[in-house]
Amino acid sequence: MAASPSSSTAASANIVLAIFEKKTNTVDMYRPLRNYVAYHYSEREAQNVEDDLQTLKQLRYEIERHLDPSLPARRDVLQTYFKSLCLVETRFPISPDPDHVNALTFVWFDAFKPKQKASQQNIHLEKAAVLFNLGAVYSQIGCSYDRNTVDGRRQASHAFIAAAGSFAFLRDNASMKASVGNSTTVDLSVECAGMLEKLMLAQAQECVFENTIAKGSTPGVCAKISRQVGIYYEEALAALNVAPLSQHFEKSWIVHVQLKAALFYAEACYRYGLELHDKEEIAEEISRLRSAVNVLTEAKKSSKGAAVQILDAIGKLEANINRNLERAVKENDRVYLMRVPSPSSLAPIPSFSMVKPMAMNEVLDASKEKMFASLVPDSSAKALSRYTEMVDDVIRTQAEKLQQASELTRVRLKEMELPDSILALEGNFTLPTSLKEDVEAVQISGGPAGLEAELQQLKDLRRVNQELLVQTEELLQKEAREDSQFRSQFGTKWTRPQSSTLTKNLQDRLNRFAGNLKQAAESDGRIERSVREHLALMSILDARPIESALPSLARPIMSFDQNEDAIVGSLKQSLRQLETLGAQRAGLEDMLKDMKRKDDILPKLMTSTGSYDDLFKKELAKYDHICDEIAQNIEAQEQLLLQIQAQNDEFSAIFNLEDYKASREKAYKQIEAAIAKFREIKDNINEGLKFYVTLQDAITNVKQQSNDFVMTRNIQCREMIEDVQRQLAGLSFQDKNAGASFNSNYPSVGSQNQRASTQTDPRPQAPYYQPVEQPPVAPYGHHAPPPYGGPAHHQPPPPYHIPPSSTAPYPPPQVHQQPPGNHEYGQPAYPGWRGPYYNAQAQQPGSVPRPPYTIPSPYPPPHQSGYYKQQ
């Protein structure tokens, strides 16, 4: 009867090893480090790091004294102190060099031979010793759990895994540096750290094996896990049997590891034999069991000093193996009659590792610590600048790839006129942006339908100007008739100058205004004709929306296979996929920028003791996955564009896209021509409106001057009538020079003389009219037109010809009246037909043109004058 698996040796073999910590001498780190900061930085900086130095001092004191007996607390102190040492290493060079911190000497004793010690003036020995003690504390934590329970064995396994990770970190990062020089100890060597790593892994795997047995797993699984326990012990034993460890550890260490290796090899053979028996592979079972018996027998020969529990476990296991071996031999002799192979010819028992060293990089990462953060060595700053340049180069390269991919998509789609063709088929086509903006501007301004109202406004303004001109002429003619009547009545006694001699300048200007109005009316007529002639062309601009006036892409009238919908659907789906790729590119670029924004490796640089190049390579690797996604996106887009090209070719052939493009371009040109003609007419109308407003101001000014002139003449007329009446009645005798003086008081319009009156009449005298030159309105030709209403002696030049003029539109008031042949009111109202319709000069800054339909006068009509009442 085979031994039951439950009678395993797991419980009785549950003996594991713990590592004791290294001892050290007291050292004062506070004073040397503070002196270094004060000397190389400043006293103020030394005060700023005072708290950090005190914290470091306290941590070293706890390392020396073991103030808290709790193992987890001891573990935390060691981890914190190690991270502090990493920060010290990058900021405080500790060595015998005079410029370094040379007053610090660290002393540590060997953990396995306490009489041996190492003494060094560098931080490496201190860091290596702390790592060793961290692994030792983890091993002690593992031994402290109750391994008779499933949960206790699980926790113990985790602790041994952490211990293995600590010794592995020591081997890879600190052992070589701490071994430099004459003063060193074996326990910190690479060989010892590697052996302790394997020992801790063996004990962690052993805990897993015990839990596997407790769960009742199959013999095959148990055999694999047990074999791996044996392999770990065998690797530790191999390290213990060679220099420098062979003469450094006590014999009990080697015996313990040797027995454990043999025990778990035999356990694997025993479990594997159970599986072979179930498969009726009796010959191999016999060979495996014999091999296990031989190994146990050989191990017991050197078991002096071994733990009793291990020897008991070996005895129980050996009994189980012999019982199963005896049964297998009997069955083979009676039933199977198989040839038993030699153990050396068998394949190794399969193994399976359930543990691996804990990664201590994150546990011991000091990059997030704030201690001594204000101290930044120059080497770290330069390294950070170099790394930043490398990151910027990566991002710039990838961003250029993304932009090129997006630009390629835009160009290829434009060449294929996508998605415009699809939109046109669905009736959602829109004009090109620039053309649509031009059409919207036309429609906002009123469009062609609003031109009639603006033409009517031109007519109204022309009528207002004509009425103003007629009113002014009638005013001057009335005054001239009254003057002629009194001259006929009084004969030679009516000695003042005739009105025609005084109003010649005013009449000349009115005649020119009349000529301007005549030519303006002709230009208005041409504008009206242009509107009528091109109204049909411009009517397309009144379509709302403008796209309703465009041709549409229609489906073919006849189709043989009725697959139009499938073609359109596949093309639309490809375009959506292309849009998705574009959105992904935008997201990838944002991810790159966000990663760079969060990428701060200065703390890691400050704690790094190795090559900066290795750190840069590691840190830049985190950008690799985004770079790979960008490359995949671009490659997918290239394939998709080829697919879209083929689909679009098929779409164009079925829907006769070339004819549609031709009709669409024709519609575009029609819209562009309509916009150009509308703008031309609109500009001409605006010029006309500007001209009429300016001319209205000029005529109003002349009318005001005429009112002033008539008012002054009326006052003079009343005074002369009174003088003549006194002369006829013999009631007044005048000085001989009075006539001459009287006659000299009638200046022509525009003169600057004043009347020197010698009258003794106490009534206030109105000042004689002093005209002020106003801004002229440009005539319509090079020469002054004939008098208003008179015959023209020559054909006027074309109304749209623009004569050159260098004079300001509004000359200063003191300038005398220019000869009639010059342009007094700016450029001609209507320049050449192919140029702007109107080109009147703008108002002077600060002047506000009068409303075009009101004609206010600063003077009341003659019959409302306060000092003149019509006789």
Side-chain angles (χ1 to χ4, degrees):
M1 189 70 171
S4 172
S6 61
S7 61
S8 168
T9 60
S12 59
N14 195 1
I15 301 298
V16 291
L17 297 178
I19 313 299
F20 292 105
E21 291 186 61
K22 292 168 66 67
K23 304 299 181 181
T24 183
N25 287 343
T26 302
V27 63
D28 177 22
M29 300 181 66
Y30 171 82
R31 183 55 54 187
L33 297 184
R34 193 188 190 286
N35 292 340
Y36 179 84
V37 174
Y39 180 78
H40 288 85
Y41 291 90
S42 66
E43 177 61 29
R44 181 177 181 180
E45 196 64 47
Q47 295 174 2
N48 291 338
V49 299
E50 180 71 25
D51 293 342
D52 294 336
L53 291 173
Q54 290 291 349
T55 301
L56 184 66
K57 179 181 178 180
Q58 179 63 28
L59 288 172
R60 188 57 163 78
Y61 183 77
E62 293 180 9
I63 294 295
E64 298 167 1
R65 297 291 186 267
H66 292 256
L67 299 181
D68 192 338
S70 168
L71 289 175
R74 182 69 178 170
R75 174 200 61 198
D76 294 342
V77 169
L78 288 167
Q79 289 177 354
T80 303
Y81 183 58
F82 180 83
K83 290 187 281 189
S84 301
L85 291 177
C86 292
L87 299 174
V88 169
E89 181 179 9
T90 57
R91 293 167 173 83
F92 301 95
I94 301 175
S95 75
D97 192 298
D99 293 331
H100 293 175
V101 181
N102 52 20
L104 272 178
T105 301
F106 298 102
V107 177
W108 286 90
F109 296 90
D110 194 291
F112 306 104
K113 292 187 177 296
K115 293 183 179 180
Q116 297 180 6
K117 68 177 181 180
S119 177
Q120 296 183 14
Q121 282 184 288
N122 62 60
I123 200 73
H124 305 305
L125 176 62
E126 184 83 351
K127 291 177 65 178
V130 171
L131 286 173
F132 182 94
N133 283 357
L134 180 61
V137 169
Y138 270 121
S139 72
Q140 296 171 29
I141 292 175
C143 291
S144 68
Y145 290 113
D146 181 8
R147 295 185 301 283
N148 292 316
T149 64
V150 172
D151 190 60
R153 288 189 292 266
R154 180 182 58 80
Q155 292 177 327
S157 177
H158 290 167
F160 290 133
I161 288 173
S166 299
F167 289 121
F169 194 85
L170 167 64
R171 179 196 63 206
D172 296 337
N173 297 280
S175 290
M176 290 298 296
K177 296 177 181 178
S179 299
V180 176
N182 297 326
S183 182
T184 181
T185 54
V186 174
D187 59 349
L188 297 181
S189 65
V190 174
E191 294 81 3
C192 185
M195 183 275 295
L196 293 175
E197 176 197 2
K198 297 301 181 182
L199 179 62
M200 294 299 109
L201 288 176
Q203 296 184 160
Q205 182 87 1
E206 184 176 349
C207 293
V208 174
F209 170 74
E210 292 169 357
N211 273 344
T212 304
I213 295 297
K215 289 189 298 184
S217 299
T218 62
V221 172
C222 295
K224 292 179 181 179
I225 296 177
S226 176
R227 183 68 192 103
Q228 186 62 50
V229 176
I231 290 175
Y232 282 139
Y233 276 118
E234 291 169 5
E235 291 174 346
L237 179 63
L240 285 169
N241 286 328
V242 296
L245 305 183
S246 58
Q247 303 298 324
H248 193 72
F249 284 84
E250 295 180 356
K251 184 66 176 179
S252 60
W253 276 77
I254 299 176
V255 170
H256 175 86
V257 174
Q258 183 178 357
L259 289 179
K260 283 276 188 174
L263 175 65
F264 281 96
Y265 173 78
E267 184 77 33
C269 291
Y270 170 70
R271 299 289 170 180
Y272 198 63
L274 293 176
E275 184 179 44
L276 292 173
H277 190 82
D278 292 340
K279 296 179 180 179
E280 297 184 353
E281 297 179 6
I282 304 301
E284 184 178 350
E285 178 189 4
I286 294 172
S287 181
R288 296 287 184 187
L289 293 176
R290 287 175 178 174
S291 175
V293 171
N294 293 335
V295 168
L296 290 177
T297 302
E298 187 68 25
K300 287 191 295 182
K301 294 179 180 179
S302 58
S303 61
K304 185 178 179 180
V308 177
Q309 294 90 332
I310 298 178
L311 294 177
D312 291 343
I314 291 176
K316 292 179 181 180
L317 178 61
E318 189 175 14
N320 289 335
I321 293 174
N322 286 329
R323 187 163 44 250
N324 286 358
L325 178 59
E326 182 181 355
R327 181 205 58 184
V329 171
K330 288 181 179 180
E331 290 180 356
N332 190 49
D333 291 343
R334 296 176 181 177
V335 179
Y336 299 104
L337 302 175
M338 295 182 181
R339 186 179 65 85
V340 178
S342 65
S344 60
S345 66
L346 298 177
I349 297 176
S351 62
F352 185 77
S353 177
M354 298 293 290
V355 297
K356 63 179 181 179
M358 178 187 292
M360 302 299 290
N361 290 320
E362 294 185 4
V363 177
L364 302 177
D365 182 17
S367 61
K368 297 180 181 179
E369 300 297 319
K370 302 301 181 182
M371 183 179 287
F372 304 119
S374 60
L375 301 180
V376 180
D378 184 60
S379 59
S380 298
K382 291 181 178 178
L384 178 62
S385 176
R386 180 185 168 198
Y387 175 76
T388 303
E389 292 177 358
M390 297 169 69
V391 173
D392 289 340
D393 184 64
V394 170
I395 293 180
R396 181 169 53 252
T397 301
Q398 298 303 317
E400 289 176 355
K401 291 182 179 179
L402 292 172
Q403 292 173 1
Q404 290 173 0
S406 298
E407 181 64 16
L408 175 63
T409 301
R410 187 189 66 80
V411 172
R412 294 286 297 277
L413 289 180
K414 186 175 181 181
E415 291 174 351
M416 292 183 284
E417 297 196 7
L418 291 173
D420 294 347
S421 301
I422 300 295
L423 293 175
L425 182 63
E426 297 174 348
N428 297 325
F429 183 72
T430 59
L431 286 175
T433 303
S434 59
L435 191 58
K436 186 174 181 63
E437 290 175 354
D438 291 342
V439 172
E440 289 176 350
V442 169
Q443 293 179 345
I444 290 174
S445 66
L451 293 178
E452 290 296 333
E454 297 188 11
L455 290 175
Q456 183 60 41
Q457 190 176 7
L458 277 180
K459 295 178 182 178
D460 294 341
L461 282 172
R462 186 171 70 248
R463 175 182 53 79
V464 169
N465 278 277
Q466 189 66 48
E467 292 175 354
L468 277 174
L469 191 63
V470 171
Q471 293 171 7
T472 305
E473 290 178 341
E474 290 178 350
L475 185 65
L476 294 178
Q477 290 173 3
K478 178 180 178 183
E479 192 280 330
R481 288 195 301 270
E482 292 177 352
D483 179 71
S484 177
Q485 179 181 352
F486 284 117
R487 192 175 303 281
S488 300
Q489 180 179 349
F490 295 107
T492 59
K493 296 185 181 297
W494 195 258
T495 59
R496 71 173 183 176
Q498 294 185 3
S499 295
S500 59
T501 62
L502 300 178
T503 61
K504 185 177 185 304
N505 287 338
L506 292 175
Q507 289 291 349
D508 290 344
R509 292 164 71 182
L510 291 175
N511 289 336
R512 285 195 294 275
F513 294 160
N516 289 343
L517 281 174
K518 181 179 179 182
Q519 293 186 357
E522 295 174 358
S523 294
D524 293 347
R526 282 192 287 270
I527 294 175
E528 293 178 7
R529 289 193 299 273
S530 180
V531 170
R532 289 194 299 270
E533 292 172 358
H534 299 96
L535 190 59
L537 171 65
M538 295 186 295
S539 61
I540 192 173
L541 301 178
D542 285 326
R544 295 176 185 270
I546 186 63
E547 287 79 9
S548 62
L550 297 176
S552 59
L553 180 60
R555 294 178 176 272
I557 299 176
M558 297 183 62
S559 177
F560 297 102
D561 48 10
Q562 301 293 330
N563 63 342
E564 297 89 351
D565 293 337
I567 294 174
V568 173
S570 61
L571 183 56
K572 290 169 67 174
Q573 182 179 1
S574 298
L575 290 174
R576 284 192 295 268
Q577 293 175 358
L578 192 63
E579 185 178 357
T580 301
L581 289 176
Q584 290 177 358
R585 285 197 299 276
L588 290 172
E589 187 171 4
D590 292 339
M591 287 174 60
L592 278 174
K593 294 178 180 178
D594 185 63
M595 183 175 290
K596 178 182 182 298
R597 181 176 58 83
K598 296 178 180 179
D599 191 5
D600 180 16
I601 69 163
L602 181 59
K604 295 181 181 180
L605 289 172
M606 299 294 292
T607 56
S608 175
T609 57
S611 171
Y612 284 146
D613 292 336
D614 295 339
L615 178 62
F616 293 163
K617 184 178 180 180
K618 178 181 177 182
E619 291 298 319
L620 289 174
K622 60 177 173 281
Y623 293 91
D624 290 346
H625 73 281
I626 300 182
C627 296
D628 293 340
E629 290 184 26
I630 291 175
Q632 294 172 6
N633 181 283
I634 294 175
E635 183 178 358
Q637 175 184 277
E638 291 176 354
Q639 298 298 325
L640 189 57
L641 284 174
L642 294 176
Q643 176 180 325
I644 291 175
Q645 179 68 59
Q647 293 172 342
N648 187 65
D649 292 342
E650 189 175 5
F651 172 81
S652 301
I654 291 179
F655 287 87
N656 198 8
L657 204 57
E658 294 301 324
D659 291 347
Y660 165 73
K661 292 179 182 178
S663 59
R664 186 188 62 193
E665 292 300 323
K666 181 179 179 181
Y668 285 172
K669 292 180 180 180
Q670 181 182 355
I671 293 175
E672 291 172 352
I675 292 173
K677 180 55 65 177
F678 175 85
R679 287 176 174 173
E680 177 186 341
I681 294 175
K682 185 75 173 178
D683 290 344
N684 291 337
I685 292 176
N686 290 337
E687 290 293 331
L689 294 173
K690 186 190 303 183
F691 165 77
Y692 281 126
V693 170
T694 304
L695 182 62
Q696 179 178 334
D697 286 344
I699 296 177
T700 301
N701 185 274
V702 173
K703 183 179 179 182
Q704 177 181 322
Q705 294 181 19
S706 300
N707 278 329
D708 293 344
F709 170 74
V710 171
M711 186 182 301
T712 303
R713 293 280 286 181
N714 287 338
I715 294 173
Q716 293 172 349
C717 177
R718 184 180 63 188
E719 293 175 350
M720 180 166 284
I721 290 174
E722 292 177 353
D723 290 342
V724 172
Q725 289 176 347
R726 283 195 294 270
Q727 289 177 10
L728 294 177
L731 300 178
S732 176
F733 297 94
Q734 302 292 333
D735 187 75
K736 290 183 179 181
N737 295 329
S741 176
F742 184 81
N743 291 336
S744 66
N745 288 331
Y746 300 96
S748 63
V749 176
S751 75
Q752 301 296 323
N753 297 328
Q754 295 184 356
R755 180 171 179 254
S757 175
T758 57
Q759 303 252 355
T760 59
D761 193 340
R763 294 175 300 174
Q765 301 295 322
Y768 294 143
Y769 171 67
Q770 298 180 8
V772 179
E773 190 64 36
Q774 296 296 328
V777 175
Y780 280 75
H782 289 286
H783 305 285
Y788 182 67
H793 298 286
H794 60 86
Q795 181 67 26
Y800 301 102
H801 178 68
I802 305 177
S805 175
S806 61
T807 60
Y810 299 99
Q814 66 268 21
V815 178
H816 293 288
Q817 181 70 36
Q818 297 181 1
N822 294 338
H823 304 308
E824 300 177 45
Y825 292 94
Q827 297 295 329
Y830 288 95
W833 171 252
R834 299 189 181 277
Y837 276 39
Y838 304 92
N839 195 20
Q841 295 290 343
Q843 298 280 335
Q844 283 185 332
S847 65
V848 180
R850 302 180 185 278
Y853 299 107
T854 60
I855 314 172
S857 173
Y859 297 95
H863 63 276
Q864 296 178 358
S865 173
Y867 50 86
Y868 172 75
K869 295 182 181 180
Q870 192 164 355
Q871 299 290 333

